[in-house]
Amino acid sequence: MNLAFISHNECQDHRMGAHHPETPERLHAITDRMIASGMETLVTHYDAPVATFEQLTRVHDPDYVRMLEEAAPQADGLLTWIDGDTAMSRGTLQAARRSAGASILAVDLVMSDRLHGAFCCVRPPGHHAERARAMGFCFFNNVAVGAAHALEEHRLERVAILDFDVHHGNGTEDIFKGDERVLFCSSFQHPFYPGTGADCDATNVVNVPLPKYTGGKEFKAAVEERWLPRIDAFAPKLIMISAGFDGHAEDDMAQFNLRESDYAWVTRQLHELAVKHSRERIVSCLEGGYDLSALGRCVSTHVDELIGHA
Ligand SMILES: [Zn+2]
């Protein structure tokens, strides 16, 4: 089946300083690896549109969106720090609108049945962005903007969001906790940044905290036991993924020991559930992943599994 690969050059114009790990080079590393692995020729490329104020404020406080618009620096070389590790450069607002817009286009494409799946190769990432708060390198919650679009615009009854980034998806939880149209599953290193995820009692949230040094065996066991039965019972009409690859063994951001094969495995499980429940509709949004070599390899493998081999 054909897969949309959605990105935009303006996603590279968001720069948080020379030593910040969330760099434009992350997207270059992915593109290079996609070409080297031959995956580049197997996907259909799309430019990410700009998410509108209306689309963003389905999940974000309007005053928060306006605050970001006003905080954006007007000149090159300036940074406005919104959070301890999260800054806006001149190009940030547009990059963030493109990142959220990618997820909107992805949902529209899979709902049109022109393509079954989509990967949003964008930055800044989104899953730490809460309803009214930027943090953890995130401004707009891309996957949440897409999910809300599927629920409101396409009138889908149920959307599952699966987050295998090494950090808890606190923003996605903040936005959708208690909304029974959404099932949110997150696996993450704990205790670790951002410190959330161990105490949520919302019935539509499945948090799976895992200790540092978690490897593929433990990760797979947790996903098989905690995620897969819940997703299967939920019978989502659309599966969305917060695809962070910072749990890779070569990624210094955290202390998980996952490999490409583990990300391939979890993607295959989710693809199979999409075949079973959601007419193969699956949308994946890039989150973390900071070791450039590992990130390129992981995304290439992930995209290969999203295409599916059925
Ligand atoms: Zn992360």
Side-chain angles (χ1 to χ4, degrees):
M1 292 285 280
N2 208 343
L3 190 87
F5 189 92
I6 307 172
S7 190
H8 199 283
N9 286 339
E10 287 181 342
C11 288
Q12 293 163 13
D13 296 340
H14 161 55
R15 296 170 185 275
M16 295 189 285
H19 302 292
H20 200 291
E22 208 286 275
T23 64
E25 283 70 35
R26 297 175 63 231
L27 301 188
H28 299 162
I30 292 170
T31 303
D32 288 351
R33 185 68 195 182
M34 289 282 292
I35 293 169
S37 66
M39 292 306 299
E40 177 81 356
T41 59
L42 301 181
V43 297
T44 305
H45 289 265
Y46 289 85
D47 272 344
V50 172
T52 65
F53 186 81
E54 182 196 355
Q55 289 165 340
L56 293 171
T57 53
R58 285 186 185 129
V59 303
H60 291 294
D61 188 325
D63 286 342
Y64 165 71
V65 177
R66 284 187 206 105
M67 181 276 287
L68 289 181
E69 288 170 352
E70 284 162 19
Q74 298 300 311
D76 288 332
L78 298 178
L79 287 179
T80 302
W81 290 90
I82 304 292
D83 187 55
D85 56 14
T86 311
M88 298 183 82
S89 66
R90 187 180 191 180
T92 298
L93 191 61
Q94 188 71 348
R97 285 173 173 149
R98 295 277 182 201
S99 293
S103 148
I104 296 269
L105 174 61
V107 168
D108 285 341
L109 286 171
V110 302
M111 292 309 298
S112 75
D113 287 332
R114 280 192 287 160
L115 297 149
H116 79 274
F119 179 72
C120 301
C121 187
V122 293
R123 57 180 291 278
H127 74 150
H128 291 308
E130 299 183 347
R131 187 168 286 278
R133 184 184 181 196
M135 58 181 278
F137 318 163
C138 302
F139 300 89
F140 299 135
N141 194 313
N142 308 320
V143 78
V145 169
H149 185 68
L151 294 167
E152 304 297 334
E153 185 74 21
H154 294 279
R155 304 279 169 201
L156 282 191
E157 295 157 336
R158 293 179 304 281
V159 177
I161 303 174
L162 305 316
D163 184 333
F164 56 67
D165 188 281
V166 78
H167 303 99
H168 177 234
N170 61 292
T172 315
E173 174 182 295
D174 176 61
I175 289 165
F176 288 123
K177 67 182 178 217
D179 185 340
E180 299 293 337
R181 301 172 300 170
V182 174
L183 174 69
F184 176 58
C185 302
S186 181
S187 61
F188 51 94
Q189 182 173 323
H190 185 81
F192 199 51
Y193 183 89
T196 50
D199 56 356
C200 180
D201 55 8
T203 54
N204 69 317
V205 174
V206 180
N207 282 329
V208 183
L210 294 164
K212 62 181 175 180
Y213 310 129
T214 286
K217 189 161 168 263
E218 298 83 8
F219 174 73
K220 287 180 187 176
V223 167
E224 276 182 337
E225 185 186 331
R226 303 285 309 281
W227 279 19
L228 301 183
R230 282 295 300 272
I231 304 165
D232 198 29
F234 185 67
K237 300 287 188 184
L238 170 67
I239 287 184
M240 299 189 74
I241 304 174
S242 267
F245 300 97
D246 40 8
H248 193 280
E250 293 167 24
D251 199 307
D252 291 338
M253 188 64 77
Q255 288 84 42
F256 271 14
N257 288 314
L258 301 183
R259 298 284 177 186
E260 292 93 300
S261 57
D262 301 313
Y263 292 112
W265 176 84
V266 69
T267 308
R268 202 175 314 134
Q269 308 309 307
L270 299 178
H271 181 263
E272 283 172 11
L273 286 163
V275 169
K276 181 175 178 184
H277 292 293
S278 65
R279 299 174 62 176
E280 211 179 345
R281 290 169 180 152
I282 189 161
V283 168
S284 177
C285 301
L286 180 65
E287 300 286 0
Y290 305 96
D291 180 275
L292 298 181
S293 172
L295 175 63
R297 292 178 344 249
C298 285
V299 169
S300 188
T301 303
H302 177 62
V303 165
D304 194 18
E305 294 293 341
L306 286 175
I307 291 171
H309 304 283

